[in-house]
Structure formats: C-alpha cells, structure tokens
Amino acid sequence: MQHRRTFIVGFIVALASFFAFAMPQIKTEFGRTLEGFVRIKVINETPKELACYVAIDGRKIKFRLPALAHSKWYKATDKRYTVKSFSTWCDYIEFHPEYRKYVY
C-alpha cells in the first residue's frame, strides 16, 4: 500500500513539474515615457519564438517575440492607466500559427 501511495504522489509531482516547464518563461518590465505615460516591454526567456499580445483597455497589440529577446516598448494612451491596467499573454508560436503574420 505504501509503494502505491508513493507512486501516485511521485506521478502527480512529475506531472505538475512537466506543466510548469511546458509554459513559456516571460518577464514584463514597466516604465514611463518622458511625457508620463506608462509603458511595458515583454522579455522572452525561452529558446523558442513566441506568439504574444499586450492589452490595455480591451485593445490588443499582437506580435511575435524572438527567442531570448525582448519586445519594443508599448505605451498607454492615457496617463490615468497604471501598470495594473496592462495584461500580457504569450505562448509558443507553433500552437498559434496565425501570429506568424505579425512583425517582431
């Protein structure tokens, strides 16, 4: 009985670690423009190209992000926006081929 429980726990841990490593690793960096607008940059920490978007107030900016590179800065259009107003998403480009048409 003990071996079975150990196997099940080990299997669950292995499965969880697989999914943790399966997701692309990205970081976001925030700053302000000289005019005072909040801006964001996405950093790809994986050795694969990613499909990404940055969204603010329902407007999505879609782009491809090369391996081990960073995006350009994307700025808010209103000074009332904060870093919490942005949302980002990235996934491997092979799962989202429609993103191939977007520029880096």
Side-chain angles (χ1 to χ4, degrees):
M1 185 69 173
Q2 181 65 26
H3 293 290
R4 187 175 187 178
R5 185 176 300 150
T6 304
F7 173 77
I8 292 171
V9 169
F11 179 76
I12 291 170
V13 168
L15 189 62
S17 65
F18 170 77
F19 285 113
F21 289 113
M23 297 301 298
Q25 297 295 313
I26 62 167
K27 283 187 180 177
T28 53
E29 188 175 314
F30 294 94
R32 290 205 176 263
T33 65
L34 294 175
E35 297 85 20
F37 293 96
V38 176
R39 63 185 186 166
I40 186 172
K41 176 170 61 171
V42 181
I43 303 164
N44 181 359
E45 296 185 331
T46 63
K48 290 189 161 201
E49 182 180 32
L50 301 178
C52 298
Y53 72 71
V54 170
I56 187 165
D57 196 31
R59 186 175 142 245
K60 288 183 184 177
I61 302 167
K62 298 178 180 181
F63 57 94
R64 291 181 297 155
L65 191 53
L68 303 170
H70 60 84
S71 70
K72 67 179 191 173
W73 287 100
Y74 296 100
K75 71 173 185 171
T77 56
D78 190 316
K79 291 183 181 178
R80 293 175 290 182
Y81 288 123
T82 67
V83 296
K84 292 182 180 182
S85 303
F86 286 95
S87 67
T88 59
W89 169 88
C90 290
D91 200 4
Y92 296 108
I93 193 93
E94 59 261 21
F95 300 131
H96 306 277
E98 68 274 14
Y99 275 74
R100 292 200 187 278
K101 64 183 175 185
Y102 297 106
V103 295
Y104 288 120

